[in-house]
Amino acid sequence: NVSTKQMLQDIRVVMEAVDSFGVVNIFGGEPFLHEGIGDIVESVLCYDNFGAVIVNTNGAVRLREEHLEKMTDGRVRLAFSNYLHALDETKAQLFFENIEKAKRLGLNAQYQNALPSWNIVSTLEHKGDSMEDMQEKKATCNVRFLYVFDGKLFPCAFTMSIHDLGVADYPDDYVELDPDIPAVEMRQGIQDLISRSHYRACGHCEGYASPGIASEVAEQGFDPR
């Protein structure tokens, strides 16, 4: 639901501002439903300050060759999520056809041989935490990813969700990816964001009190609460 033009701009701003990434992970939703997925991956490959690009897919949509042909660079891995238990016979057949098509075109394509584990996610309402509580949550959080979405950079998926779903707008919880800001200034803004003692969204997150992991979470609408 973000235009290719916006995504290419965001990639350029971030890749020029950050010294290096171990992995650039492209995910959705389902990335192969986006008409610009090939161009999006190709734009990341123009840079050399990263180790690998992982493109996640559920494998249940037909992968188009014109998209896959832009992902044959050895730094790209096409990661098929193992949802086979939830696919009917036709979709399961398509899943393996997509893997074979990707491999035939020279892609590094793999699928998980075990079901993924699923976190029971935090609810989004504000928990009424004190500043000390929010700081403790941030201090014990193991998230080491930056999330880029629709012209903004977030320090975690939770801060992004809080903003994207309209639960709250905390401007101090993200960086605006303004293409007119010099890269060195953007870099400092990202560093400042990462080093903050806490985020306002921490007051919505269950953090270290997260309910845990259950395979049932993959079922649409599941929530034990």
Side-chain angles (χ1 to χ4, degrees):
N1 60 341
V2 179
S3 71
T4 301
K5 180 180 179 181
Q6 179 68 57
M7 295 179 73
L8 296 183
Q9 175 178 287
D10 292 346
I11 289 168
R12 177 177 62 80
V13 172
V14 172
M15 297 303 283
E16 292 179 358
V18 175
D19 293 325
S20 65
F21 291 99
V23 173
V24 176
N25 199 322
I26 298 175
F27 63 97
E30 170 50 50
F32 283 92
L33 291 178
H34 199 292
E35 286 295 319
I37 182 60
D39 294 333
I40 291 162
V41 173
E42 201 171 44
S43 72
V44 177
L45 295 172
C46 292
Y47 298 89
D48 59 6
N49 57 335
F50 67 92
V53 179
I54 297 178
V55 185
N56 293 97
T57 178
N58 61 27
V61 298
R62 192 167 300 281
L63 306 190
R64 290 158 50 182
E65 290 196 9
E66 60 263 35
H67 291 159
L68 294 174
E69 286 169 350
K70 296 184 177 182
M71 304 181 192
T72 56
D73 188 293
R75 295 171 292 174
V76 178
R77 181 162 69 88
L78 190 55
F80 286 78
S81 298
N82 189 340
Y83 297 110
L84 288 171
H85 66 291
L87 301 182
D88 61 28
E89 185 176 344
T90 301
K91 287 291 186 183
Q93 181 178 345
L94 177 60
F95 180 91
F96 289 108
E97 288 176 357
N98 281 328
I99 293 175
E100 290 307 311
K101 179 189 296 183
K103 289 183 175 181
R104 188 174 68 250
L105 291 171
L107 275 76
N108 178 3
Q110 302 174 10
Y111 78 97
Q112 302 174 37
N113 56 10
L115 291 176
S117 60
W118 296 89
N119 287 300
I120 301 176
V121 298
S122 173
T123 59
L124 299 180
E125 75 271 15
H126 199 285
K127 308 294 189 292
D129 291 336
S130 66
M131 182 179 294
E132 290 74 17
D133 288 336
M134 290 188 285
Q135 289 173 339
E136 185 174 359
K137 287 181 182 180
K138 170 64 162 51
T140 58
C141 182
N142 292 318
V143 173
R144 294 294 181 269
F145 290 92
L146 300 177
Y147 288 77
V148 176
F149 180 74
D150 199 15
K152 296 177 175 59
L153 181 145
F154 299 86
C156 68
F158 199 79
T159 52
M160 181 179 70
S161 298
I162 289 287
H163 179 84
D164 182 42
L165 296 174
V167 175
D169 182 15
Y170 299 130
D172 288 342
D173 281 8
Y174 54 82
V175 171
E176 295 277 2
L177 297 175
D178 186 342
D180 295 325
I181 294 178
V184 63
E185 186 178 333
M186 182 64 65
R187 179 183 294 111
Q188 187 61 55
I190 295 172
Q191 289 174 337
D192 291 345
L193 178 70
I194 294 170
S195 63
R196 285 191 187 139
S197 66
H198 68 284
Y199 307 111
R200 295 283 300 280
C202 294
H204 296 253
C205 182
E206 292 175 36
Y208 47 82
S210 178
I213 296 175
S215 61
E216 293 87 352
V217 180
E219 297 176 9
Q220 183 72 17
F222 173 84
D223 191 326
R225 296 158 300 193

